């Protein structure tokens, strides 16, 4: 992997309502998910686009934003996403596909409804229980 992928910044966000815009679902658009060659579009791009489309068809304002990102360095478990928000635990999920779209929308919405990012276990979609790669604690608040 080249350094430019590691230094990549989010490219395009699908807007969320202003009160919850701080919650972000990053989608790795460079994930190949085991596909050989240079399939175009890549599996990660197809997942991002399907998520954005599903979010556009929801009633009401979105509770989180969807942002495309290049390389979450989780290539062995792609497609991958990261879910984060200020003051919340952050998560990385892998082994995702287009079949994961509804669960990702549900899980990210439930995450956005929390203050700390901790969704009760039984309220998490299966992919949020079984596909978690890592979670990290919230950053400390500045003193």
């Amino acid at each position: 992997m080249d350094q430019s992928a590691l230094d990549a910044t989010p490219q395009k966000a699908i807007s969320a309502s202003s009160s919850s815009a701080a919650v972000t679902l990053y989608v790795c658009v460079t994930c190949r998910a085991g596909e050989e060659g240079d399939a175009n579009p890549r599996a990660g791009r197809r997942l991002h686009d399907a998520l954005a489309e599903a979010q556009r068809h929801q009633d009401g304002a979105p509770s989180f934003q969807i942002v495309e990102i290049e390389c979450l360095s989780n290539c062995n478990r792609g497609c991958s996403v990261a879910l984060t928000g200020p003051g919340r635990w952050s998560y990385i999920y892998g082994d995702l596909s287009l079949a994961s779209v509804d669960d990702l929308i549900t899980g990210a919405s439930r995450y956005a409804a929390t203050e700390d990012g901790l969704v009760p276990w039984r309220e998490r979609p299966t992919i949020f229980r079984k596909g978690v790669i890592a979670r990290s604690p919230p950053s400390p608040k500045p003193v």
Side-chain angles (χ1 to χ4, degrees), residues 4-14 24-29 45 48 65-72 82 84:
S4 63
L6 294 174
D7 296 335
T9 55
Q11 296 175 353
K12 181 172 66 171
I14 308 300
T24 304
L25 179 68
Y26 291 103
V27 182
C28 177
V29 296
R45 164 61 62 199
H48 171 275
Q65 62 182 337
I66 298 171
V67 176
E68 61 185 60
I69 189 99
E70 291 186 9
C71 197
L72 286 170
T84 189

Side-chain angles (χ1 to χ4, degrees), residues 59-79:
D59 293 333
S63 59
F64 60 94
Q65 62 182 337
I66 298 171
V67 176
E68 61 185 60
I69 189 99
E70 291 186 9
C71 197
L72 286 170
S73 293
N74 193 37
C75 302
N76 292 334
R77 302 251 336 245
C79 295

Side-chain angles (χ1 to χ4, degrees), residues 83-138:
L83 188 58
T84 189
R88 293 175 167 89
W89 283 80
S90 296
Y91 295 85
I92 297 178
Y93 299 99
D95 301 319
L96 304 171
S97 68
L98 292 176
S100 309
V101 169
D102 290 341
D103 282 347
L104 283 167
I105 295 288
T106 298
S109 296
R110 289 179 182 163
Y111 174 89
T114 69
E115 299 246 345
D116 58 7
L118 298 173
V119 177
W121 181 258
R122 294 187 190 276
E123 293 178 25
R124 297 177 193 172
T126 301
I127 61 169
F128 276 44
R129 286 185 255 146
K130 299 196 178 208
V132 68
I133 304 300
R135 80 174 188 166
S136 60

